[in-house]
């Protein structure tokens, strides 16, 4: 048997060796009977029963996912319930039944039309098509009494291979038993990819139709870093992959080979992310996306609930820094109870600090109170706060003044409080251009490359059609980072990075060379980035950065960094 390699998109920097188990959940429906043979009332009733049963299943899976993976990932099941009850879709199914189709065929037909519509929209909306498919297949399975394929009790060492994996499929995978997964479709930001990172599973998505040629029972190596699926691997290949799978987790802080401290922290959305962050050796939290405390509920968390959450994060990292970002609502993060305006370009609209200083001023005040109190708690000395989407000095001043005036209010109420370290996200071109004017007013910058790349390149994040443009390796993005760091020279202002770029170990040397003091990422890549820091020599890194900054194109950047395009 000769070894061969298929290529896809690697979504976790982890490797696994195992045996292929094909997962094909969508069996074809039989031909429908003639319309006159369909009992309309009975089919309508079957559809209603199936909807209720599917909703019960979704609620159970939501709970299970919240426990095993995290609240943020569990939220996808709420979106499924919304689709299940969306009047436009349910009316469509009802009409199709009244037109003479049995319930399962009516569901298949109606949902498939909506799936197509969402796919045509592309970007984030395109990704919702996967959710719709998931709801459709669930309903069809319930209606046709299909057996649920049990992904949670696969033989140990299985590599799950599928056309696509829905969030409910992925949530069932047991990382103790599954060696990885590989899918025909999917992109870096698909739900399956996000789950893979949360579960720390080796995974490759978007391999394409060639994957169908890999049969059940075949031995494979899943290289989630390069995106290579090695079929019928040699013994040496398997041994190398098994060795690579054993990541060295460092719980102590890390310095470069020539002794420069670089903080390697984790990004968190909810408290469920704290465990993995600690387990994988993060020095602290470099980005607490507090908006996740506000999503998927009927009303905002009150001051005490927020205080508890911030203190919990601080307690998890007694010796490390916890950087809390104030509410970043709007853009692609809607909150139903806030009645956000319908905007043509929400990413360019009222989001982040713009809302906190405007329509969400009350919410902001509550959050600031909770943060000031948390800063005065036993572990509060390590708390830092930063404002999202700042683009003018006035916004920075106004944000800072809010902290000062709320602190004065708390003082007058006799409530213990403390002003924490204060910074801003650098994620707009305006902030990068004006960084020298911001620097004297802050203790730190944290560069959010996900948004910075989208705004510098005018390429919507999550829109696959422009993903090549929106890449953080574009020279213009690298120049924006360089300009930001250079603007802090001579100022007492450290610079971190909390976008996806910070978690790419292939770029660690470059980022150290550009002068970053801190890198924050999803917990899964913390060990790899720490290892890369330890191997870096800062003089070499600076020289590398200088060469990279001379590049005209992304291809040249990749060539200098010896990366795949
Ligand atoms: C970290 C970032 O923020 P978010 O992804 O939460 O918008 C960023 O924009 O890089």
């Amino acid at each position: 048997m000769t070894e061969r390699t298929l290529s896809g998109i690697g979504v976790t920097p982890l490797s696994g060796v195992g045996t292929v188990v094909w997962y094909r959940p969508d069996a074809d429906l039989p031909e429908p009977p003639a319309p006159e043979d369909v009992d309309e009332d009975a089919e309508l009733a079957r559809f209603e029963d199936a909807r209720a049963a599917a909703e019960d299943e979704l609620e159970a899976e939501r709970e299970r996912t919240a426990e095993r993976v995290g609240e943020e990932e569990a939220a996808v099941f709420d979106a499924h319930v919304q689709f299940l009850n969306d009047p436009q879709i349910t009316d469509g199914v009802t009409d199709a039944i009244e037109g003479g189709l049995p319930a399962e065929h009516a569901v298949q037909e109606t949902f498939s039309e909506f799936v197509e519509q969402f796919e045509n929209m592309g970007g984030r909306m395109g990704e919702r098509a996967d959710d719709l498919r998931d709801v459709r297949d669930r309903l069809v399975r319930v209606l046709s009494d299909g057996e649920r394929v049990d992904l949670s009790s696969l033989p140990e060492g299985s590599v799950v291979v599928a056309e696509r994996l829905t969030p409910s499929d992925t949530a069932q995978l047991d990382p103790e038993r599954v060696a990885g997964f590989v899918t025909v479709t999917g992109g870096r930001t698909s739900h399956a990819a996000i789950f893979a990172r949360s579960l720390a599973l080796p995974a490759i998505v978007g391999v394409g139709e060639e994957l169908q040629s890999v049969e059940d029972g075949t031995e494979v190596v899943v290289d989630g870093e390069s995106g290579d699926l090695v079929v019928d691997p040699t013994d040496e290949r398997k041994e190398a992959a098994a060795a690579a799978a054993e990541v060295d987790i460092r719980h102590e802080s890390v310095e470069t080979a020539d002794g420069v401290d670089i903080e390697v922290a984790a990004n968190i959305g909810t408290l469920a992310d704290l465990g993995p962050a600690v387990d994988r050796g993060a020095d602290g939290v470099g980005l607490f996306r507090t908006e996740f405390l506000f999503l998927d509920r009927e009303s905002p968390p009150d001051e005490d609930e927020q205080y508890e959450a911030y203190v919990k994060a601080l307690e998890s990292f007694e010796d490390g820094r916890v950087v809390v970002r104030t509410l970043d609502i709007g853009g692609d993060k809607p909150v139903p109870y806030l009645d956000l305006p319908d905007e043509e370009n929400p990413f360019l609209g009222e989001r982040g600090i713009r809302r906190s200083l405007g329509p969400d001023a009350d919410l902001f005040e509550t959050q600031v109170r909770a943060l000031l109190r948390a800063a005065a708690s036993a572990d509060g000395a390590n708390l830092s706060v930063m404002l999202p989407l700042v683009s003018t000095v006035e916004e920075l001043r106004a944000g800072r003044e809010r902290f000062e005036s709320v602190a004065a209010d708390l003082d007058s109420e006799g409530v213990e409080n403390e002003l924490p370290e204060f910074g801003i996200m650098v994620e707009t071109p305006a902030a990068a251009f004006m960084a020298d004017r911001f620097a004297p007013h802050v203790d730190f910058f944290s560069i959010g490359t996900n948004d910075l790349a989208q705004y510098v390149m005018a390429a919507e994040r999550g829109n696959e059609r422009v993903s090549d443009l929106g890449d953080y390796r574009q020279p213009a993005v690298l120049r924006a980072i360089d300009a930001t760091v250079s603007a802090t020279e001579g100022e007492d202002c450290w610079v971190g990075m909390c976008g996806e770029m910070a978690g790419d170990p292939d770029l660690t040397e470059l980022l150290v060379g550009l002068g970053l003091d801190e890198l924050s990422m999803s917990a899964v890549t913390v060990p790899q980035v720490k290892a890369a820091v330890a191997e870096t020599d800062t003089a070499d890194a600076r020289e590398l950065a200088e060469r990279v900054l001379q590049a005209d194109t992304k291809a040249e950047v990749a060539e200098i960094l010896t990366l795949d395009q």
Side-chain angles (χ1 to χ4, degrees):
M1 204 67 75
T2 37
E3 179 180 290
R4 67 191 172 106
T5 302
L6 307 186
S7 298
I9 303 166
V11 292
T12 42
L14 304 170
S15 293
V17 183
T19 309
V20 167
V21 177
W22 261 99
Y23 175 61
R24 301 185 198 271
D26 19 276
D28 286 340
L29 287 176
E31 278 296 301
E36 57 275 21
D37 296 334
V38 173
D39 176 346
E40 189 182 305
D41 290 339
E43 293 304 314
L44 286 172
R46 281 181 66 228
F47 173 53
E48 280 317 313
D49 291 349
R51 225 154 45 102
E55 188 159 345
D56 289 347
E57 279 186 13
L58 282 167
E59 263 152 29
E61 273 171 37
R62 188 200 193 291
E63 237 170 76
R64 189 178 133 92
T65 306
E67 237 168 63
R68 286 190 43 199
V69 191
E71 270 298 325
E72 194 179 324
E73 287 78 8
V76 73
F77 295 105
D78 297 322
H80 287 200
V81 173
Q82 270 172 18
F83 278 138
L84 198 58
N85 296 319
D86 184 310
Q88 246 188 312
I89 302 177
T90 53
D91 287 354
V93 176
T94 309
D95 289 348
I97 293 174
E98 285 166 1
L101 280 180
E104 49 272 58
H105 292 80
V107 165
Q108 182 87 21
E109 185 181 286
T110 311
F111 273 76
S112 301
E113 280 165 16
F114 281 94
V115 166
E116 206 178 308
Q117 281 178 23
F118 273 85
E119 274 175 344
N120 289 339
M121 285 184 233
R124 288 267 153 146
M125 296 311 272
E127 283 172 15
R128 301 301 300 274
D130 267 350
D131 295 324
L132 264 175
R133 264 195 215 95
D134 202 355
V135 179
R136 175 194 67 192
D137 295 345
R138 183 184 294 276
L139 275 171
V140 170
R141 176 181 49 75
V142 173
L143 282 161
S144 45
D145 293 329
E147 279 287 301
R148 183 138 189 108
V149 180
D150 193 0
L151 283 172
S152 60
S153 60
L154 292 167
E156 207 157 310
S158 301
V159 170
V160 178
V161 176
E163 174 77 23
R164 68 171 52 76
L165 287 174
T166 63
S168 1
D169 297 333
T170 332
Q172 288 181 68
L173 298 176
D174 179 354
E176 300 290 319
R177 307 177 73 87
V178 172
F181 72 77
V182 189
T183 57
V184 174
T185 63
R188 219 176 283 279
T189 55
S190 58
H191 286 307
I194 293 167
F195 270 69
R197 286 194 280 272
S198 300
L199 292 169
L201 267 180
I204 305 173
V205 300
V207 174
E209 285 307 315
E210 222 188 330
L211 187 58
Q212 308 282 0
S213 67
V214 183
E215 288 175 8
D216 246 325
T218 313
E219 263 205 309
V220 290
V221 167
V222 180
D223 184 339
E225 178 154 25
S226 66
D228 284 347
L229 176 71
V230 185
V231 182
D232 296 317
T234 58
D235 286 346
E236 297 85 81
R237 174 88 60 191
K238 283 191 278 182
E239 278 159 26
E246 282 170 23
V247 282
D248 182 16
I249 296 179
R250 301 163 199 246
H251 287 281
E252 66 284 5
S253 58
V254 68
E255 52 183 42
T256 59
D258 54 327
V260 176
D261 285 327
I262 303 287
E263 203 172 315
V264 181
N267 294 347
I268 67 165
T270 64
L271 297 181
D273 297 335
L274 281 169
V278 172
D279 292 347
R280 295 195 65 83
D283 298 333
V285 172
L287 167 64
F288 186 164
R289 294 178 159 106
T290 57
E291 54 278 5
F292 284 103
L293 299 175
F294 290 70
L295 305 181
D296 304 313
R297 46 192 295 158
E298 308 279 307
S299 56
D302 65 16
E303 183 182 318
D304 284 341
E305 188 180 338
Q306 288 189 59
Y307 169 79
E308 299 292 335
Y310 306 142
V311 168
K312 216 25 179 289
L314 287 162
E315 283 169 356
S316 298
F317 288 100
E318 280 174 354
D319 303 320
R321 192 184 342 239
V322 173
V323 183
V324 177
R325 176 173 73 187
T326 61
L327 271 172
D328 186 12
I329 282 170
D332 60 342
K333 293 167 185 149
V335 180
Y337 53 84
L338 283 186
D339 194 21
L340 299 180
D342 219 359
E343 296 175 307
E344 290 249 345
N345 291 301
F347 275 121
L348 301 181
E350 202 170 44
R351 59 167 291 211
I353 190 66
R354 301 172 186 182
R355 286 197 65 84
S356 294
L357 296 176
D360 296 338
D362 291 348
L363 276 189
F364 188 52
E365 179 171 339
T366 307
Q367 179 167 45
V368 173
R369 287 177 64 96
L371 284 167
L372 291 167
R373 284 175 50 204
S377 70
D379 298 301
N382 302 327
L383 180 68
S384 306
V385 297
M386 61 180 176
L387 309 176
L389 208 82
V390 171
S391 41
T392 67
V393 173
E394 287 98 322
E395 285 167 344
L396 161 60
R397 285 200 193 120
R400 192 162 194 146
E401 272 160 22
R402 287 315 295 272
F403 273 81
E404 282 157 8
S405 70
V406 173
D409 291 347
L410 287 169
D411 284 344
S412 63
E413 291 167 32
V415 178
E416 236 191 301
N417 73 90
E418 196 76 49
L419 279 169
E421 199 183 31
F422 190 81
I424 57 165
M425 293 276 290
V426 174
E427 50 188 343
T428 64
F433 281 132
M434 295 288 286
D436 61 328
R437 301 309 164 104
F438 286 113
H441 305 290
V442 293
D443 300 306
F444 68 98
F445 289 148
S446 184
I447 305 179
T449 50
N450 307 340
D451 275 331
L452 186 64
Q454 118 164 313
Y455 293 127
V456 165
M457 299 303 298
E460 186 195 348
R461 62 193 272 190
N463 182 342
E464 275 178 37
R465 290 183 201 150
V466 291
S467 61
D468 183 50
L469 273 177
D471 192 316
Y472 46 66
R473 292 172 298 179
Q474 288 284 359
V477 180
L478 300 176
R479 285 187 182 207
I481 295 167
D482 181 51
T484 305
V485 180
S486 304
T488 62
E489 249 163 60
E491 296 287 348
D492 190 12
C493 173
W494 59 269
V495 188
M497 176 180 284
C498 61
E500 289 295 304
M501 185 180 192
D504 185 340
D506 288 335
L507 300 185
T508 305
E509 186 183 2
L510 171 66
L511 297 178
V512 171
L514 285 169
L516 273 301
D517 302 299
E518 179 244 33
L519 301 170
S520 188
M521 61 213 67
S522 64
V524 66
T525 53
V526 165
Q528 283 82 357
V529 171
K530 280 197 160 179
V533 168
E535 280 174 16
T536 296
D537 174 87
T538 48
D540 293 348
R542 264 197 296 278
E543 200 198 304
L544 174 75
E546 272 159 30
R547 280 201 296 139
V548 167
L549 288 169
Q550 294 307 314
D552 288 346
T553 63
K554 182 183 124 183
E556 276 174 45
V557 170
E559 202 182 307
I560 298 168
L561 296 172
T562 57
L563 298 176
D564 295 332
Q565 302 284 306

